[in-house]
Amino acid sequence: PPDRRVFNPRRELNRARGGQPSTGKVIAELKMVFWQKMFTGRFDTRIWNPHLRTVMPYLDPAKTVQELRRLIHADLEQLRELRNRIAHHEPIFKRALAGDFTKIQELIAFRCPTTSAWMVQNQQAQALIQARP
């Protein structure tokens, strides 16, 4: 039997898919770790080499797909850790929250700078980060 403690993307996808009426509902049910694990090297040949620049058209053209995929994976890891700290009601005061916010903004901008700009204009996080003691 498979070890349930080890993250398995296929098992996670099957779990999320169960009983959901649409693709959008399945996507919403997938854990953040699923999306982060999608940015590992094992998917370079099948997904990222042919499609990364299509999915995220505003990536740095001077970097290779592997460099960009590793950067995205590392950024998602940092944000997943932040999300987990918040979800488990753990303190985040010592984190570089402005850097976390910048990573979120950059990841969105890789896909769509207009959406990234909209997010910045409609958020309250930066004021809270600047006001913290």
Side-chain angles (χ1 to χ4, degrees):
D3 185 351
R4 297 276 178 193
R5 294 171 295 172
V6 176
F7 182 77
N8 180 308
R10 181 171 301 197
R11 185 176 62 230
E12 175 65 14
L13 183 58
N14 286 332
R15 181 206 60 79
R17 192 175 62 169
Q20 296 302 330
S22 69
T23 303
K25 293 285 187 182
V26 172
I27 289 170
E29 287 295 316
L30 291 167
K31 296 175 183 173
M32 190 168 179
V33 69
F34 175 88
W35 299 108
Q36 183 203 10
K37 296 295 184 183
M38 289 300 296
F39 284 90
T40 58
R42 71 184 284 201
F43 297 107
D44 279 353
T45 302
R46 290 180 26 207
I47 298 174
W48 301 127
N49 290 341
H51 303 293
L52 184 62
R53 292 188 189 278
T54 302
V55 172
M56 297 183 168
Y58 297 95
L59 289 164
D60 183 349
K63 292 185 178 176
T64 68
V65 168
Q66 286 72 35
E67 289 172 317
L68 294 166
R69 194 247 328 130
R70 281 192 292 270
L71 169 76
I72 292 166
H73 182 272
D75 288 353
L76 289 172
E77 172 64 16
Q78 181 177 332
L79 296 175
R80 190 177 67 80
E81 288 175 4
L82 171 64
R83 179 251 171 235
N84 287 349
R85 297 294 72 78
I86 293 168
H88 294 277
H89 305 284
E90 296 174 9
I92 58 170
F93 302 114
K94 294 184 180 182
R95 287 187 67 96
L97 294 171
D100 291 331
F101 181 88
T102 298
K103 291 215 182 291
I104 293 167
Q105 181 183 359
E106 289 171 351
L107 284 168
I108 296 169
F110 290 158
R111 175 76 179 134
C112 179
T114 303
T115 303
S116 180
W118 178 88
M119 183 272 301
V120 170
Q121 290 176 341
N122 291 283
Q123 54 78 36
Q124 298 174 10
Q126 287 179 310
L128 291 171
I129 291 168
Q130 290 173 354
R132 78 181 193 188

